[in-house]
Amino acid sequence: MTEADPLRLLAVHAHPDDESSKGAATMAKYVAEGVRVMVATCTGGERGSVLNPALDRPDVWERLPEIRQEEMARARDILGVEQEFLGFVDSGLPEGDPLPPLPEGCFALVPTEEAAAPLVELIRRFKPHVITTYDERGGYPHPDHIKTHEVSVHAFEAAGDPDRYPELGEPWQPLKLYYHMSFTLPRTRALHEAILASGQESPYAEWLENWDPDRDMSHRVTTKVHCADYFAVRDAALIAHATQIDPNGRWFACPLEVQQRVWPTEDYELARSVVDSPAPEDDLFAGVRSEVVVR
Ligand SMILES: [Zn+2]
């Protein structure tokens, strides 16, 4: 790695705020180490709601799309990353039984070949060595998160192929693709028990009661990135998404010091790799650093 050619990480997310709740401390750590980090935000979060009671006001609802862009710019600066919107429209989270149809023109309804094109273009321009995204279930079942997974995998495979999207720039093959795996049953249980041991009330009791162990993904974790020193940066970036985060809500219910002591990592599954990097790993660039110097 030279100064002229730093390592590069691309994090693909569905909505503004997702980058601050998934992998944010990892990004802040790599920025501090001189890695260039880019966040690609697939949609503008136009169909999100106001989740902070203090901001649930008509003047906020009226300007929500612009406000979410301003919040994203603040979070970007706090994390020290670069950020681009890929220009798709939020699909919203369908609710009801039966579920209503998705709104016309939304991200989740765009065919994947077409929906992946802006990401292929960004990959060929930014030239990331490593990409992070969501697993095939979206991490959580929002149609935009599942679509984000699909376009990330599609673009990871297409960007290096000169026969695909030939109009979108010179081919670039990223070396590794990761899925976020931070919200696992063992982590939540460990935090829960530490809070109880300190004599406090745990905010996770109900979650844990309803958690179907068959849906836990912790067995898929290959990579644990130590980033506890950056949990406070992550929290500051989350708070910058003021309309989306209740500062008195569950996100902040577990004391930082407990998180740092009990679960100091953000966790990932290595989903694709074109370099040799045996699990377990503690670095998203494992196997990449030597590769990049050799080139
Ligand atoms: Zn989201």
Side-chain angles (χ1 to χ4, degrees):
M1 184 171 75
T2 63
E3 218 174 300
D5 189 23
L7 292 171
R8 288 176 296 274
L9 172 66
L10 172 65
V12 189
H13 287 285
H15 310 106
D17 78 21
D18 286 321
E19 83 295 330
S20 295
S21 58
K22 293 168 265 296
T26 302
M27 293 196 292
K29 169 195 149 83
Y30 282 120
V31 166
E33 291 174 5
V35 174
R36 265 185 83 187
V37 180
M38 168 75 77
V39 170
T41 313
C42 292
T43 79
E46 298 85 351
R47 289 198 171 87
S49 54
V50 176
L51 302 172
N52 179 353
L55 291 173
D56 191 359
R57 307 187 309 247
D59 60 309
V60 172
W61 278 97
E62 221 164 81
R63 291 186 58 244
L64 194 56
E66 295 101 292
I67 290 175
R68 295 203 68 179
Q69 295 215 0
E70 294 160 12
E71 292 173 346
M72 183 65 244
R74 277 198 290 280
R76 174 199 68 204
D77 293 348
I78 290 166
L79 294 170
V81 300
E82 301 163 64
Q83 186 267 342
E84 292 190 16
F85 285 101
L86 298 184
F88 294 100
V89 177
D90 191 342
S91 307
L93 183 59
E95 282 171 305
D97 187 19
L99 289 175
L102 291 170
E104 207 178 313
C106 72
F107 179 49
L109 291 179
V110 179
T112 298
E113 177 77 13
E114 183 187 338
L119 186 58
V120 169
E121 189 279 327
L122 177 59
I123 290 170
R124 289 178 177 175
R125 177 160 46 86
F126 181 67
K127 302 180 168 50
H129 303 99
V130 173
I131 296 181
T132 62
T133 189
Y134 315 136
D135 65 67
E136 67 286 350
R137 293 194 291 208
Y140 108 110
H142 189 299
D144 288 333
H145 285 233
I146 292 163
K147 194 70 179 184
T148 297
H149 161 80
E150 288 170 8
V151 300
S152 301
V153 172
H154 187 93
F156 183 88
E157 285 166 358
D161 184 342
D163 295 331
R164 297 172 75 180
Y165 303 94
E167 70 288 3
L168 295 181
E170 291 289 309
W172 175 265
Q173 180 58 57
L175 300 176
K176 296 170 99 178
L177 178 70
Y178 286 97
Y179 300 156
H180 297 279
M181 289 282 153
S182 276
F183 297 100
T184 58
L185 185 54
R187 175 179 176 271
T188 306
R189 202 178 271 146
L191 294 176
H192 173 75
E193 280 162 11
I195 295 169
L196 293 182
S198 72
Q200 308 283 94
E201 209 173 304
S202 166
Y204 303 123
E206 201 189 319
W207 270 4
L208 285 170
E209 260 166 47
N210 298 321
W211 206 310
D212 174 1
D214 291 341
R215 287 189 63 84
D216 181 54
M217 311 285 257
S218 56
H219 60 282
R220 288 172 52 172
V221 170
T222 57
T223 311
K224 296 169 84 70
V225 177
H226 282 259
C227 51
D229 289 349
Y230 299 91
F231 285 176
V233 180
R234 171 203 65 193
D235 285 356
L238 260 175
I239 286 172
H241 291 284
T243 59
Q244 303 304 305
I245 296 290
D246 179 355
N248 302 311
R250 193 149 46 183
W251 272 113
F252 303 106
C254 181
L256 204 59
E257 131 334 271
V258 172
Q259 297 179 49
Q260 289 171 323
R261 178 165 50 81
V262 172
W263 208 276
T265 59
E266 288 179 338
D267 304 339
Y268 300 85
E269 176 186 17
L270 178 59
R272 301 265 197 294
S273 183
V274 301
V275 295
D276 191 26
S277 183
E281 308 175 305
D282 60 5
D283 176 15
L284 301 184
F285 292 95
V288 171
R289 295 172 191 273
S290 52
E291 202 57 27
V292 171
V293 171
V294 167
R295 280 177 183 192

